[in-house]
Coordinates of all heavy atoms in Angstrom, one line a residue:
R67 N -5.7 40.7 24.3 CA -4.6 40.9 25.2 C -5.1 41.3 26.6 O -5.9 42.2 26.7 CB -3.6 42.0 24.7 CG -3.1 41.7 23.3 CD -2.3 42.9 22.7 NE -2.2 42.8 21.3 CZ -1.2 42.2 20.6 NH1 -0.3 41.6 21.3 NH2 -1.2 42.1 19.3
G71 N 1.4 37.3 30.8 CA 1.0 35.9 31.0 C 1.2 35.2 29.7 O 1.7 35.7 28.7
P72 N 0.9 33.9 29.6 CA 1.1 33.1 28.4 C 0.3 33.5 27.2 O -0.7 34.2 27.4 CB 0.7 31.6 28.9 CG 0.6 31.7 30.4 CD 0.3 33.1 30.7
V73 N 0.8 33.2 26.1 CA 0.0 33.5 24.9 C -0.5 32.1 24.3 O 0.3 31.2 24.1 CB 0.9 34.1 23.8 CG1 0.2 34.3 22.5 CG2 1.5 35.4 24.3
V74 N -1.8 31.9 24.3 CA -2.4 30.6 24.0 C -3.2 30.8 22.7 O -4.1 31.6 22.6 CB -3.3 30.1 25.1 CG1 -3.8 28.7 24.8 CG2 -2.5 30.1 26.5
L75 N -2.9 29.9 21.8 CA -3.7 29.9 20.5 C -4.7 28.8 20.5 O -4.3 27.6 20.8 CB -2.7 29.8 19.3 CG -3.3 29.8 17.9 CD1 -2.2 30.3 16.9 CD2 -3.7 28.4 17.4
T139 N -2.6 36.3 26.9 CA -3.2 36.7 25.6 C -3.8 35.5 24.9 O -3.2 34.4 24.9 CB -2.0 37.2 24.6 OG1 -1.5 38.4 25.2 CG2 -2.6 37.5 23.3
I141 N -5.4 33.9 21.4 CA -5.5 34.0 19.9 C -6.6 33.0 19.5 O -6.3 31.8 19.6 CB -4.2 33.7 19.3 CG1 -3.0 34.6 19.7 CG2 -4.3 33.8 17.7 CD1 -1.6 34.2 19.3
L162 N 1.1 34.4 8.7 CA 0.4 34.3 10.0 C 1.3 34.7 11.1 O 0.9 35.4 12.0 CB -0.1 32.9 10.2 CG -0.7 32.6 11.5 CD1 -2.0 33.4 11.7 CD2 -1.0 31.1 11.7
A163 N 2.6 34.2 11.1 CA 3.5 34.5 12.2 C 3.7 35.9 12.5 O 3.9 36.4 13.6 CB 4.8 33.8 11.9
A164 N 3.6 36.8 11.4 CA 3.9 38.2 11.6 C 2.6 38.9 12.0 O 2.7 40.1 12.4 CB 4.4 38.8 10.2
L165 N 1.5 38.3 12.0 CA 0.2 38.9 12.3 C -0.2 38.7 13.8 O -1.2 39.3 14.2 CB -0.9 38.4 11.4 CG -0.6 38.7 9.9 CD1 -1.7 38.0 9.0 CD2 -0.5 40.1 9.6
I166 N 0.4 37.8 14.5 CA 0.0 37.4 15.8 C 1.2 37.4 16.7 O 2.3 37.2 16.3 CB -0.8 36.0 15.9 CG1 0.2 34.9 15.4 CG2 -2.0 36.1 15.0 CD1 -0.4 33.5 15.5
P167 N 0.9 37.5 18.1 CA 2.0 37.3 19.0 C 2.5 35.8 18.9 O 1.7 34.9 18.6 CB 1.3 37.6 20.4 CG 0.1 38.3 20.1 CD -0.4 37.8 18.7
Q168 N 3.7 35.6 19.3 CA 4.3 34.2 19.3 C 3.6 33.4 20.4 O 3.6 33.7 21.6 CB 5.8 34.3 19.6 CG 6.4 32.9 19.9 CD 6.3 32.0 18.7 OE1 6.5 32.4 17.6 NE2 6.1 30.7 19.0
P169 N 2.8 32.3 20.0 CA 2.1 31.6 21.0 C 3.1 30.7 21.8 O 4.0 30.1 21.2 CB 1.2 30.7 20.1 CG 1.8 30.6 18.8 CD 2.5 31.9 18.6
D170 N 2.7 30.5 23.1 CA 3.5 29.6 23.9 C 2.9 28.1 23.8 O 3.6 27.2 24.0 CB 3.4 30.0 25.4 CG 4.0 31.3 25.6 OD1 5.3 31.4 25.3 OD2 3.4 32.3 26.0
V171 N 1.7 28.0 23.4 CA 1.0 26.7 23.2 C -0.2 26.9 22.3 O -0.7 28.0 22.1 CB 0.6 26.2 24.6 CG1 -0.5 27.1 25.2 CG2 0.1 24.8 24.6
I350 N 0.0 24.5 11.8 CA 0.1 25.9 12.4 C 1.1 25.9 13.6 O 2.1 26.7 13.5 CB -1.3 26.4 12.8 CG1 -2.2 26.6 11.6 CG2 -1.3 27.6 13.7 CD1 -3.6 26.9 11.8
P351 N 0.9 25.1 14.7 CA 1.9 25.2 15.7 C 3.3 24.8 15.3 O 4.3 25.3 15.8 CB 1.3 24.3 16.8 CG 0.3 23.4 16.1 CD -0.2 24.2 15.0
N352 N 3.4 23.8 14.4 CA 4.7 23.4 14.0 C 5.4 24.6 13.3 O 6.6 24.8 13.5 CB 4.6 22.2 13.0 CG 4.3 20.9 13.7 OD1 4.4 20.8 14.8 ND2 3.8 20.0 12.9
S353 N 4.7 25.4 12.5 CA 5.4 26.5 11.8 C 5.7 27.6 12.8 O 6.6 28.3 12.5 CB 4.4 27.0 10.7 OG 3.3 27.7 11.3
L354 N 5.0 27.7 13.9 CA 5.2 28.7 14.9 C 6.2 28.3 16.0 O 6.5 29.1 16.9 CB 3.9 29.2 15.5 CG 2.9 29.8 14.5 CD1 1.5 30.0 15.1 CD2 3.4 31.1 13.9
G355 N 6.5 27.0 16.0 CA 7.4 26.5 17.1 C 6.8 26.4 18.4 O 7.4 26.6 19.4
A356 N 5.5 26.1 18.4 CA 4.7 26.0 19.6 C 4.3 24.6 19.9 O 3.8 23.8 19.0 CB 3.5 26.9 19.6
P357 N 4.4 24.0 21.1 CA 3.8 22.7 21.5 C 2.3 22.8 21.4 O 1.7 23.9 21.5 CB 4.4 22.5 22.9 CG 4.5 23.8 23.4 CD 5.0 24.7 22.3

Side-chain angles (χ1 to χ4, degrees):
R67 305 173 197 269
V73 178
V74 185
L75 183 152
T139 298
I141 304 169
L162 175 65
L165 300 175
I166 60 174
Q168 169 63 39
D170 296 302
V171 66
I350 291 173
N352 285 342
S353 74
L354 299 172

